[in-house]
Amino acid sequence: MNSLEQAEGRVGRPGVSRAHPGSRRSSGGAGVEETPPRGQEAAKDGQTRPGASGARGPAQGPKGGRTWPEAGSDLKAFERRLTEYIHCLQPATGRWRMLLIVVSVCTATGAWNWLIDPETQKVSFFTSLWNHPFFTISCITLIGLFFAGIHKRVVAPSIIAARCRTVLAEYNMSCDDTGKLILKPRPHVQ
């Protein structure tokens, strides 16, 4: 089960029948069994043989591959899933950014108060930190957040988009920061 099948609703829960238009599923509880699509028959050893009945079916091209309309629907499904994933990351990313801003402002305010205090120069370092618990706690919290990976969480959607751009470049495609696909013209081979 992959995420594309989940997004398309092809994989259902036991007892719930949500099938791909070309296949038939039984909705009988834990032992959900999928029958092969038209044009494929089960062999005696349990394997499926493509084209066993002699017909290719409507979804196959001249050499048994996919036709262009089906390939376009795959791209649309990929784009829809990518935009959905990036969109779902936005609220969490916004919360992490707000938390980082609040803790950073608290640390900066505490540092300012710590530095302008005349007692800071007269006592030892640890005593001055003990005298300024607001700065100490906010600084420890900020360091803890960075160890927890907040620097990655505040830019998670752009990390996902950058990784997708790297993979899509091999297929003459790209995507923007929201996950929308950008199709590039095919290179001319001479």
Side-chain angles (χ1 to χ4, degrees):
M1 168 173 67
N2 63 27
S3 60
L4 181 59
E5 289 176 342
Q6 282 180 329
E8 293 294 319
R10 293 180 185 170
V11 177
R13 296 179 304 272
V16 178
S17 176
R18 267 193 227 162
H20 186 274
S23 66
R24 295 179 303 270
R25 285 183 186 251
S26 68
S27 57
V32 176
E33 184 177 319
E34 185 174 332
T35 59
R38 289 189 322 252
Q40 294 183 352
E41 295 176 359
K44 292 180 182 179
D45 60 349
Q47 300 288 329
T48 59
R49 295 179 298 166
S53 65
R56 281 199 177 147
Q60 295 181 347
K63 294 187 178 181
R66 294 183 172 179
T67 60
W68 285 108
E70 187 176 335
S73 65
D74 286 347
L75 284 175
K76 288 179 184 177
F78 174 74
E79 180 182 46
R80 186 171 53 247
R81 180 68 179 127
L82 183 60
T83 54
E84 174 189 345
Y85 185 72
I86 290 176
H87 180 71
C88 288
L89 283 176
Q90 294 296 341
T93 301
R95 287 190 295 268
W96 284 112
R97 286 177 182 166
M98 290 303 294
L99 179 65
L100 181 62
I101 289 170
V102 167
V103 172
S104 297
V105 167
C106 288
T107 304
T109 305
W112 176 256
N113 290 334
W114 181 61
L115 290 174
I116 63 168
D117 185 16
E119 290 289 319
T120 302
Q121 298 174 2
K122 298 176 185 172
V123 296
S124 69
F125 176 71
F126 292 109
T127 307
S128 68
L129 288 178
W130 185 260
N131 291 338
H132 299 293
F134 181 72
F135 169 68
T136 306
I137 291 171
S138 61
C139 191
I140 290 171
T141 304
L142 185 64
I143 291 169
L145 286 173
F146 275 103
F147 277 125
I150 196 169
H151 58 287
K152 293 178 186 174
R153 294 178 186 192
V154 296
V155 292
S158 27
I159 291 173
I160 298 294
R163 289 180 182 171
C164 285
R165 280 187 207 104
T166 303
V167 173
L168 290 171
E170 297 178 18
Y171 302 101
N172 290 329
M173 290 187 279
S174 184
C175 66
D176 60 4
D177 287 335
T178 62
K180 297 286 185 186
L181 289 180
I182 300 168
L183 300 176
K184 297 179 180 177
R186 289 185 177 186
H188 296 287
V189 179
Q190 294 180 355

